[in-house]
Amino acid sequence: MKVQAVRGTHDIYGQDLLKYKQLEEIVSKYANIYGFNEIITPIIESTDLFKKPLGEHSDVVLKEMYTFKDRNHSLITLRPEYTTPMIRAAITNNLLEKLPQKFYGIGPMFRRERPQKGRYRQFNQINFEILGTNDISADVDLILLADDLLRNFFPTKKIDLQINSLGDKNTLKIFKENLSLYFKKYTRDLSEESQKKIYTNPLRILDSKNTKDIEINQSAPKIFDYFSDEAKDRFDNIKNLLSDSNIIFEINPRLVRGLDYYCHTVFEFKTNDLGSQDTLIGGGRYDGLTKILGGPDISGVGWAGGVERLIMLMRDIDKNEKKTHLILLHQNFRSYGLQILNQLRKNNIAVYFDYKYDLKKSLSRANKLNSEFAIIIGEEEVKKNQYILKYLYKNIQEILTLDQIIKKLKE
Ligand code: HAM
């Protein structure tokens, strides 16, 4: 039996791991500059945390959650997203006494989607949330943060920001009712997938990628026509603030997002370089969500970015390390060699030992690892306490004491 990774999961190593680490480092630097505190929440949560808030008719809840019965029969779900767990953590740990609070997190999420390029069943998200203010500056601040991060990662790439407003909860309710009435007229013409959503989740028909659905969507009601004065003002002001900050954006009235908790501002940053899974970052406002989860009635806004998609766009990282290979010529010098290794490492010198005791094999391995130096220790060297330091790129060598080698390698 050859064991396989679970479908839709993937291992992170080599260049991808370097990129993952760099991304983590830059995200935490930006989090600090923008005033966000990290929260790490458990990967398992009770299923109730997600079911209602994400929407009982959303794809995530209907088809994608990894849910199982615990031994005491309670239902547990592997978190499919980070917003609800973060709010849960803030409520559980009484972190909402002073508002607003700004949290960020990075870690694995789980959705049983059909795997394809840029879409996995276990994937990582970076996530930023601001809880406890309905000021539109928070929405804009978060978009500026996303823009800033993306520009840092991809200074030359074209990444488009799309924004929309879903209005307040009442606007959205009336809009959905009217959408259902409109789509009902086209029941037979809509794709099978969209037909199922006419009454349960008509918003999601708007972002269908089916050509027939797209055609029907052209004349569908527009959310803008249902806005309250307040919703319209908010959206206009956000657009102005973004323009004042020189952020280029496109208004996409069909941008509805996949989770039920959104209202007012929603946005996505998209790229042309990843095929159909083109959204790098998605987010929006979710006033009322904290209350649904049993916390105070406060507003919230945030976004999440897909780490794997970001990594796919990142350039390879040059580790630029000077590697040193220790070559012991005989097993008899094992103890001697291990002590030398120990001393080099205590001096913070990265040394690789391959346990081969064979000059030719070790040199070939050192070569494959792109090592810059080799320290060679044979009988003569042990006797004299002096060793060969070979400069592998220059093909020259010197005979030196350990102290001299340490000094050279540190230079
Ligand atoms: P989301 O749009 O479901 O939003 O996911 C955010 C991002 O996670 C996507 O834009 C994408 O980059 C990445 N992503 C989602 N699913 C997958 C997958 N199967 N494989 C790889 N990457 C994926 C949320 O999760 C919201 N919680 C965002 C949010 C935060 N809204 C407010 N605050």
Side-chain angles (χ1 to χ4, degrees), residues 159-171:
I159 294 171
D160 299 319
L161 167 62
Q162 297 189 349
I163 62 168
N164 189 20
S165 168
L166 300 177
D168 47 53
K169 293 277 173 201
N170 201 34
T171 304

Side-chain angles (χ1 to χ4, degrees), residues 81 83 111 113 118 120 125 129 257 261-262 279-280 302 306:
E81 61 110 48
T83 309
R111 294 184 193 174
E113 296 192 77
Y120 306 95
Q125 271 188 350
E129 311 291 350
R257 311 276 304 128
Y261 51 59
Y262 292 108
T279 309
L280 294 171

Side-chain angles (χ1 to χ4, degrees), residues 60 80-84 111 113 118-125 127-129 257-259 261-262 268-269 277 279-286 301-309:
V60 174
E81 61 110 48
Y82 219 166
T83 309
T84 37
R111 294 184 193 174
E113 296 192 77
R119 188 162 73 189
Y120 306 95
R121 290 181 173 177
Q122 177 175 339
F123 58 99
N124 292 280
Q125 271 188 350
N127 207 96
F128 285 87
E129 311 291 350
R257 311 276 304 128
L259 309 168
Y261 51 59
Y262 292 108
E268 285 184 351
F269 285 87
Q277 300 308 306
T279 309
L280 294 171
I281 283 179
R285 184 159 274 285
Y286 45 81
V301 54
W303 58 255
V307 170
E308 280 72 8
R309 294 184 193 177

